Amino acid sequence: MSTDHYETLGVPEDASQEQIKRAYYRLVRQYPPEKEPEKFKVIREAYETLSDPKARDNYNAMQRHGEEVRRLFGEAETLMAEDRWEEAQRPLKRILLVIPTADAALNSLGICYLNLADWANAIKVYDKLTTRSPDVPVYWSNYGMAYYEQTEDMSDHDHRKSLLLNNARSKFKRARDLEPYNVQHYISLSRTYVREKDYTQAEYWLEQGITADGKTDTSDFEILFELCIVYLYAGKLNSIAQTASRIIAMVPPEDDEFRKYASARFGVLGHELFQLRAFREALTFLNASERFDPGNEDLKEFAQSVRSIMDARDQFDRLKNDPQVCGPVKAFCAYYVAGNSGEFEDETQEDTDRIFEDVVRGLDTVHPSMILSSVVRVRTSYPAIYGINASAFGEVERVASESSWRSGTFSTGAGAKSGCFVITATYDTPYAPQVARFRQFRDEFLLTHPLGRAFVCLYYRWGPCVATLVRRHPRLKRLFACGLGFLIKYLPKKAE
Amino acid sequence: MANEPFAVGIDLGTSTSEICIYRNGEPMMIPDPGSRTKSPVIPSLVAMNRRGELVVGEDARPYVDLPGRGVREVKRLMGTGELVTLGDRDCRPEEISALILRRLKENVEEAVGQPVLDVVLSVPANFPDAARQATMEAGRLAGLNILRLINEPTAAAMAFGHRHIKTEGQLVVFDFGGGTLDITVLEMVAGVLDVKSSFGNTRLGGKDFDDVMVNLILRKFQEEHRVMLQQERARQTLKAPAELAKIALSNSSSYLVVVPNFTVRDGIPIDLEVEVAREEYNHACAHLLEAARSCVRQALSAKQIQPEMIDRVLLVGGTTYIPAVRQLVAEMFDREPRSEVNPDLAVAMGASVQAAIIKELIDPGEGDLIVTDVSPFGLGIDVVSNVGGQMMLLYEPLILPNTTIPFTVRRSYRLLSGSQGEAEINLYQDHTGKARLPEEAIFTGIRGSITNIPPSQTGEPHQVEIEFSYDTNGMAKLTARIPATGQKIEIHYQPSAQRLSDEEKEEAFQNVRDMWKQSLRAKEYDTLIVKAERLMSSIPDEEKQQQLTLAVSDLKMALVSNDDEEISRAGDRLVDLLFEIEDILGR
């Protein structure tokens, strides 16, 4: 179908604009649109291409280097998909050497620069692209990213931070103006404010995104999730629950595919809230997640663990004031509840070790019979706490009952004080191996933090739901934006 | 001479309408016998006279502003679905337009002595599709066969091009009519007129300048007399004098508006006597002029055209007589607009040239005019796209407004999943060229679907190939094909789809059909018509049946317009036809 435009118009390749114009009009006279419509279309296409200098340059280049350019582009895309940004630059630069006006290649190069944190070059690329093609929203949003990403590790006192964020905002706003229905731009704008801890503005832009297309629908879904996160930062936990019900109401009852997707989104947000230790809120989302995808075993397991964490924490609130549990066992419980809830995540391994050693040492400061009765009490009255690591508690119970029997033979009726002595004594030399046993104990039972592991898998399984990934992985965000340049389009399914 | 073939073009305007025939290589305007000056410019007015008869044009002027008795500027309502009240009946705008068309048709038939059937009708370049369809319908109701709708600025350029076939260069048609402003850029080389772009404001026209004049007169009157007025009625009364004042100010620097017995205070009648100066009027029109200016700027910037690249500016439409408008054009294009075409007549003349081309009265091979035109609006489909990580239904343009036609485009899409069993394609229109979402476009009501699609063998979603073409008659065809399965559908868009529903058409027909009963001479033909209508459905010969239908509708229309001569002629034709069909002699 591709005919040579120069041939069609019967002009040489170096024809002047005037020659091209003359040729077109002469041919239209010969093949008027009314009489020779098919012939006319070909003539017209040739004329429109060759009479527009930019289109003509592109056409010439593609005629000459089309195959090479396509090959290079394929190469670059493969490398980019494998995160090999450094290498991907080369084929892209080669394309641009042949066709300096190849916007798609330039955008890809910009994405490479972004991923390599080469902000100065990224800004140059997008300055050029937005000047040359100001109507393409993705160039503006990538431009904004070039400013936004720089602020990631910047301290609040850095005076450049607000300047960069302001620049980012002005670019995102241009993208928004061009594509007011694309929620991504509102999310980007909102994030620039999150970075400055201006949660009021962050909320404002998300709310703008929700009303942008004049209707509430599934495209507001993402933005509501984002809103939850902003509320979280802002400490508005009540609003999170409210937003959750807004989201839940939005999930169409019949669309299985969408319900599964929603389930994954809920699950991921639940996981995130969980990691931020907003357990009750996490559970709201996990419950919803389970509801929309009841067959998902990984999810069920995760939700169950979060539920048990919640139970354990609730039980711990009671346990704290229980006189039947001695102090060191309370500390032991606290250690598990906290560890299980991820409270030690910010601590170094040594610190955690030290905490654990302190806790274990504490166990030795009271009489083993006290420990025993306390642990028994925990097992019977606070099963959720005991259940966090039943074998660890079981082990303490076993050790304590042995020691209590043994020490019982030596110091009958001894109070806390003598027990204290005995154990301290044992600690020094004869019972040294016991310390080692406790260490081993830790390696075996403590601080493994299995929650969410399965979940990460689940997360990746939803790979096609780009948005999910995009939000979690800023690098993918750029990869995705690159994809936008070559919009994959689908025909809709039959309307519901 | 009498049977010399001819072609007919009609300019159905907001304020005035014209008809032109093309014969012997020349367009010829047909004057209106109803006009005292035998002018070819007919006011687009329809009214009911004292005797309850429907009158059109100059004859309607005395009654048109009486409450419920007449209709002005019906063109602005075309395609809106709004109804107008005429006497005791609510009419569709199409029906009113049909009456004007009918009057124009008769003028020609009278002048030429031959029946008129095929015509080219002009519409504003930015006329929405619904209005175009309503215009087609009006033509049909008037018993015309519409060869083509042509954009008014294109027609005006053709009127120019036909006369100046050797001229080359860029021209702008500044078409400021009663209802709309269209700015069209064209290039003419080697006798080919190539439309580059058209840009317009459908809500800016001479009517708005009249409204400004009405307000100005009222304000000045009330400043002087401080009297309570019944606003609606006062405005109605001032419409005609305001229009006169506007026209007068085109030639003089001030004008005295006089309306005797304009209102009554304390039982004493007050005359309206207001002096309006041109300066003062220009000042009051400033916002309209600014709107026009911005329209010009947008039209030029859309195609990145510098005013100095323009070789000629053609002024078209009654509103270009206003001196302030001429001055605006002179400023914006940095040259005095020349009177190269008649602003009132150019459109009808150009339409007749187009008709002549279609009817092959002009041979393009012989160095006469050829014209390329552009699509008045865009068409497209809805596709699911990935927007910011989400699947959204977007409007996907297949043809943008202002695309040179005929036009074909091929695109490739994918189904959403490998197991998708059905794909639906919905056709939308976009008048702005800016629609991004289906909600921003207008659904044409045309859709097609590929069903029972076998699942993909590889799991990869099937490819769908779309081919879309749009021809010079405004017909579009869309073919969707799945190469892997060989499945294919075709959907068509044509100017007669999604129009009035059949019921509505029937009703509209009925309305026009019944109007004749109000004619003074209805009694004479009552029996004949009833007989013919009874007979109509029972004639086996389809051709005869059509002839009879046409003859009856001709007679009715003649009765509606109270044209004695035409009534007799149509009546005679019906009598002859019935006589023949009934085979009175043969029995």
Side-chain angles (χ1 to χ4, degrees):
Chain A
M1 193 52 222
S2 74
T3 43
D4 184 83
H5 290 337
Y6 292 98
E7 228 168 84
T8 300
L9 293 187
V11 294
E13 284 204 22
D14 59 353
S16 68
Q17 283 301 319
E18 184 63 24
Q19 272 175 296
I20 289 166
K21 195 166 86 179
R22 289 270 147 208
Y24 165 71
Y25 282 99
R26 184 175 45 76
L27 285 166
V28 173
R29 174 148 288 287
Q30 206 174 334
Y31 305 101
E34 301 278 348
K35 292 208 169 124
E36 301 270 1
E38 292 312 313
K39 188 88 184 135
F40 173 81
K41 284 179 208 169
V42 178
I43 296 165
R44 180 75 199 180
E45 197 192 336
Y47 175 60
E48 280 186 8
T49 309
L50 299 188
S51 61
D52 171 353
K54 194 177 161 186
R56 186 178 174 183
D57 284 350
N58 256 324
Y59 173 77
N60 290 346
M62 284 309 278
Q63 284 294 95
R64 259 172 250 145
H65 314 285
E67 208 161 303
E68 189 193 353
V69 165
R70 265 185 289 273
R71 184 180 55 75
L72 286 167
F73 209 87
E75 212 175 286
E77 278 191 317
T78 312
L79 289 167
M80 287 168 78
E82 292 169 4
D83 278 7
R84 291 156 71 185
W85 310 106
E86 190 72 46
E87 295 153 82
Q89 292 181 56
R90 219 67 61 228
L92 293 169
K93 284 178 177 168
R94 283 182 61 186
I95 296 174
L96 289 163
L97 285 173
V98 181
I99 314 178
T101 53
D103 285 358
L106 191 55
N107 181 40
S108 293
L109 185 62
I111 289 163
C112 289
Y113 287 139
L114 282 172
N115 278 286
L116 294 166
D118 182 348
W119 313 122
N121 270 321
I123 286 169
K124 265 189 222 160
V125 164
Y126 289 109
D127 183 48
K128 184 163 213 156
L129 278 172
T130 49
T131 311
R132 202 151 71 189
S133 311
D135 295 337
V136 182
V138 72
Y139 298 161
W140 287 108
S141 64
N142 285 353
Y143 201 173
M145 281 296 173
Y147 286 108
Y148 171 76
E149 292 281 344
Q150 292 186 50
T151 61
E152 188 161 5
D153 298 318
M154 227 171 242
S155 104
D156 286 344
H157 307 296
D158 196 325
H159 68 282
R160 286 173 307 158
K161 189 171 183 175
S162 70
L163 207 67
L164 289 167
L165 288 173
N166 269 332
N167 273 333
R169 263 166 227 148
S170 75
K171 312 303 174 204
F172 289 142
K173 276 182 192 160
R174 289 292 296 265
R176 193 280 312 255
D177 292 345
L178 288 165
E179 245 178 359
Y181 49 84
N182 188 342
V183 293
Q184 195 58 49
H185 305 315
Y186 298 93
I187 293 177
S188 296
L189 280 163
S190 163
R191 283 181 184 163
T192 63
Y193 288 105
V194 168
R195 208 147 262 187
E196 287 184 312
K197 302 190 174 60
D198 183 349
Y199 302 119
T200 318
Q201 277 295 313
E203 267 176 54
Y204 166 81
W205 279 104
L206 294 175
E207 289 291 348
Q208 288 287 301
I210 291 166
T211 49
D213 56 359
K215 56 187 182 190
T216 305
D217 58 18
T218 49
S219 77
D220 297 329
F221 200 72
E222 297 300 327
I223 226 164
L224 287 174
F225 276 115
E226 189 78 15
L227 196 55
C228 286
I229 294 166
V230 171
Y231 284 142
L232 193 67
Y233 285 132
K236 293 187 177 174
L237 298 188
N238 283 342
S239 303
I240 295 184
Q242 273 170 25
T243 311
S245 41
R246 241 168 119 182
I247 297 173
I248 291 162
M250 219 179 250
V251 179
E254 299 302 328
D255 189 339
D256 261 4
E257 198 122 330
F258 189 81
R259 288 171 76 85
K260 275 201 172 151
Y261 169 67
S263 164
R265 287 299 272 119
F266 279 123
V268 170
L269 192 61
H271 183 237
E272 218 143 300
L273 286 164
F274 164 78
Q275 288 191 325
L276 290 160
R277 285 161 229 153
F279 300 104
R280 214 169 295 280
E281 290 72 25
L283 212 51
T284 309
F285 285 91
L286 290 172
N287 287 339
S289 182
E290 273 192 295
R291 206 170 89 205
F292 292 128
D293 191 6
N296 189 328
E297 291 302 325
D298 291 342
L299 189 73
K300 198 173 276 175
E301 199 184 309
F302 178 50
Q304 196 45 55
S305 2
V306 177
R307 246 173 249 131
S308 47
I309 289 172
M310 278 302 299
D311 288 348
R313 290 175 73 97
D314 287 346
Q315 290 182 7
F316 186 76
D317 282 343
R318 281 192 286 117
L319 177 135
K320 276 191 296 197
N321 305 316
D322 188 340
Q324 294 186 50
V325 180
C326 68
V329 171
K330 279 180 187 168
F332 192 73
C333 290
Y335 174 79
Y336 274 104
V337 171
N340 198 34
S341 312
E343 306 274 4
F344 300 144
E345 283 209 330
D346 301 334
E347 310 290 336
T348 63
Q349 189 64 43
E350 289 83 55
D351 286 346
T352 340
D353 287 357
R354 226 192 44 248
I355 296 169
F356 181 65
E357 267 160 34
D358 288 350
V359 168
V360 170
R361 197 172 290 133
L363 287 176
D364 288 338
T365 57
V366 290
H367 194 272
S369 61
M370 273 296 284
I371 301 289
L372 186 61
S373 69
S374 292
V375 174
V376 171
R377 171 79 182 165
V378 171
R379 176 155 50 86
T380 51
S381 299
Y382 307 102
I385 296 175
Y386 193 88
I388 295 173
N389 200 332
S391 41
F393 277 100
E395 189 66 11
V396 172
E397 205 176 329
R398 194 183 59 77
V399 171
S401 74
E402 268 175 28
S403 320
S404 126
W405 173 78
R406 206 163 36 212
S407 56
T409 51
F410 290 118
S411 59
T412 47
K417 213 172 180 181
S418 63
C420 199
F421 173 74
V422 169
I423 289 176
T424 311
T426 55
Y427 232 119
D428 274 340
T429 33
Y431 289 104
Q434 207 177 26
V435 177
R437 197 159 70 236
F438 272 117
R439 269 206 190 282
Q440 190 191 353
F441 194 81
R442 184 204 71 206
D443 292 341
E444 259 174 65
F445 304 114
L446 301 187
L447 287 189
T448 49
H449 194 59
L451 294 174
R453 278 291 141 72
F455 211 72
V456 175
C457 301
L458 176 84
Y459 198 88
Y460 280 102
R461 207 177 308 146
W462 279 96
C465 304
V466 195
T468 316
L469 285 169
V470 164
R471 213 173 50 69
R472 287 275 293 183
H473 301 271
R475 318 190 101 196
L476 282 165
K477 180 162 51 203
R478 297 177 203 129
L479 182 67
F480 175 67
C482 145
L484 262 185
F486 311 92
L487 265 186
I488 311 155
K489 297 192 173 145
Y490 308 89
L491 281 174
K493 291 198 295 184
K494 192 176 165 58
E496 271 99 287
Chain B
M1 179 70 188
N3 284 322
E4 193 74 35
F6 64 96
V8 180
I10 294 177
D11 174 4
L12 183 61
T14 306
S15 335
T16 67
S17 297
E18 295 79 21
I19 192 164
C20 180
I21 67 168
Y22 186 97
R23 187 153 71 165
N24 294 325
E26 274 307 318
M28 187 173 92
M29 295 303 302
I30 302 299
D32 182 37
S35 137
R36 253 166 292 137
T37 56
K38 299 287 172 234
S39 156
V41 180
I42 299 175
S44 302
L45 306 174
V46 173
M48 194 165 279
N49 71 9
R50 233 183 295 276
R51 290 172 304 210
E53 299 157 359
L54 286 174
V55 284
V56 177
E58 284 301 338
D59 303 340
R61 207 184 279 285
Y63 315 103
V64 74
D65 292 326
L66 302 175
R69 290 274 295 276
V71 186
R72 270 177 185 270
E73 288 143 6
V74 71
K75 189 174 178 180
R76 284 195 161 189
L77 300 180
M78 294 292 271
T80 60
E82 253 176 75
L83 297 178
V84 288
T85 309
L86 196 54
D88 55 359
R89 194 173 37 237
D90 285 336
C91 297
R92 297 178 168 282
E94 292 90 313
E95 298 167 39
I96 303 299
S97 290
L99 293 172
I100 300 169
L101 287 173
R102 181 71 201 195
R103 171 62 171 267
L104 294 166
K105 172 176 144 86
E106 282 162 5
N107 287 351
V108 171
E109 286 172 342
E110 196 168 309
V112 181
Q114 288 183 55
V116 169
L117 190 60
D118 300 336
V119 300
V120 167
L121 253 178
S122 69
V123 287
N126 50 42
F127 224 21
D129 187 49
R132 287 169 191 264
Q133 298 321 323
T135 306
M136 298 283 276
E137 194 55 33
R140 208 176 69 89
L141 291 172
L144 295 167
N145 172 39
I146 312 291
L147 293 171
R148 168 87 47 94
L149 294 180
I150 184 176
N151 290 336
E152 282 160 11
T154 310
M158 287 181 82
F160 169 83
H162 180 259
R163 277 231 309 266
H164 304 87
I165 193 80
K166 294 276 180 261
T167 303
E168 299 205 333
Q170 304 244 27
L171 48 138
V172 164
V173 177
F174 186 91
D175 179 1
F176 210 168
T180 61
L181 170 63
D182 278 321
I183 289 135
T184 302
V185 184
L186 305 94
E187 186 168 37
M188 188 160 154
V189 174
V192 178
L193 256 178
D194 194 44
V195 178
K196 288 183 167 312
S197 75
S198 227
F199 197 91
N201 184 337
T202 44
R203 289 269 163 263
L204 185 63
K207 181 187 185 293
D208 301 300
F209 285 84
D210 292 347
D211 288 348
V212 167
M213 183 64 90
V214 168
N215 289 339
L216 184 63
I217 297 170
L218 267 183
R219 202 188 70 221
K220 294 189 79 165
F221 176 77
Q222 278 180 309
E223 270 166 17
E224 186 184 343
H225 291 280
R226 312 229 166 264
V227 54
M228 286 291 284
L229 284 173
Q230 210 197 330
Q231 288 290 329
E232 220 19 67
R233 241 186 78 194
R235 269 169 208 288
Q236 203 68 23
T237 316
L238 282 175
K239 260 187 184 172
E243 199 185 335
L244 280 178
K246 177 185 78 174
I247 293 168
L249 283 184
S250 293
N251 295 313
S252 54
S253 58
S254 82
Y255 180 78
L256 183 67
V257 185
V258 181
V259 181
N261 302 327
F262 181 63
T263 189
V264 177
R265 184 172 52 192
D266 306 331
I268 302 156
I270 310 177
D271 296 343
L272 177 143
E273 261 181 62
V274 171
E275 177 98 29
V276 182
R278 189 196 274 180
E279 274 314 304
E280 181 178 30
Y281 179 56
N282 286 355
H283 188 71
C285 291
H287 65 289
L288 298 177
L289 296 170
E290 190 41 48
R293 243 179 239 118
S294 113
C295 204
V296 173
R297 274 192 290 265
Q298 289 181 70
L300 294 182
S301 73
K303 289 266 161 165
Q304 299 180 335
I305 295 161
Q306 310 299 324
E308 58 269 21
M309 289 155 67
I310 305 295
D311 300 295
R312 287 194 158 63
V313 181
L314 306 184
L315 293 182
V316 177
T319 307
T320 60
Y321 286 116
I322 297 176
V325 171
R326 291 199 167 221
Q327 197 186 332
L328 178 153
V329 171
E331 275 165 25
M332 297 218 64
F333 293 96
D334 197 22
R335 84 201 53 217
E336 284 304 315
R338 289 184 283 174
S339 308
E340 310 208 59
V341 292
N342 181 315
D344 290 323
L345 311 180
V347 171
M349 286 169 94
S352 78
V353 173
Q354 176 67 282
I357 292 174
I358 295 172
K359 298 199 91 178
E360 302 190 350
L361 300 184
I362 296 177
D363 184 353
E366 285 171 21
D368 217 321
L369 196 64
I370 293 172
V371 67
T372 72
D373 211 342
V374 292
S375 58
F377 45 79
L379 287 168
I381 54 176
D382 50 354
V383 296
V384 175
S385 299
N386 195 330
V387 176
Q390 290 180 73
M391 295 306 178
M392 271 187 94
L393 205 52
L394 292 193
Y395 169 78
E396 167 91 347
L398 293 171
I399 183 171
L400 290 168
N402 275 331
T403 304
T404 299
I405 50 176
F407 173 81
T408 295
V409 66
R410 285 172 198 85
R411 296 265 174 84
S412 212
Y413 302 90
R414 274 199 294 128
L415 294 182
L416 274 169
S417 75
S419 58
Q420 186 175 333
E422 182 164 0
E424 194 175 78
I425 293 147
N426 298 305
L427 199 62
Y428 293 80
Q429 278 170 22
D430 168 30
H431 290 280
T432 60
K434 288 182 186 136
R436 301 292 297 267
L437 301 174
E439 299 82 63
E440 292 165 355
I442 306 158
F443 182 48
T444 58
I446 301 168
R447 64 159 56 113
S449 54
I450 309 182
T451 51
N452 300 320
I453 304 170
S456 152
Q457 300 277 320
T458 58
E460 275 289 296
H462 287 305
Q463 196 88 15
V464 182
E465 306 285 346
I466 300 260
E467 180 177 317
F468 175 86
S469 46
Y470 191 99
D471 75 10
T472 47
N473 288 312
M475 312 263 224
K477 185 176 88 174
L478 185 152
T479 315
R481 205 167 56 86
I482 303 180
T485 65
Q487 285 165 307
K488 187 176 147 176
I489 53 148
E490 232 181 68
I491 58 178
H492 295 267
Y493 172 89
Q494 51 202 13
S496 54
Q498 205 234 344
R499 320 308 151 202
L500 302 180
S501 70
D502 286 346
E503 247 168 75
E504 289 169 324
K505 273 183 199 168
E506 189 45 47
E507 195 194 311
F509 241 158
Q510 196 67 45
N511 267 348
V512 176
R513 213 184 281 163
D514 291 344
M515 278 188 199
W516 66 276
K517 289 183 182 158
Q518 299 189 331
S519 164
L520 280 184
R521 299 181 58 184
K523 284 257 165 339
E524 290 175 46
Y525 291 95
D526 208 350
T527 342
L528 204 58
I529 290 172
V530 170
K531 185 177 176 62
E533 280 180 342
R534 213 181 305 132
L535 203 63
M536 235 177 262
S537 53
S538 59
I539 306 173
D541 182 345
E542 226 172 88
E543 198 195 316
K544 281 264 154 20
Q545 197 183 344
Q546 245 172 17
Q547 281 178 3
L548 187 62
T549 312
L550 201 65
V552 170
S553 93
D554 271 354
L555 176 57
K556 282 180 184 173
M557 286 305 258
L559 285 167
V560 169
S561 53
N562 285 304
D563 180 331
D564 281 344
E565 228 170 286
E566 183 60 26
I567 291 170
S568 309
R569 190 156 19 145
D572 290 351
R573 213 181 302 151
L574 184 61
V575 170
D576 289 350
L577 196 60
L578 278 174
F579 194 77
E580 189 188 322
I581 290 168
E582 289 278 68
D583 197 17
I584 303 288
L585 299 178
R587 275 200 298 212

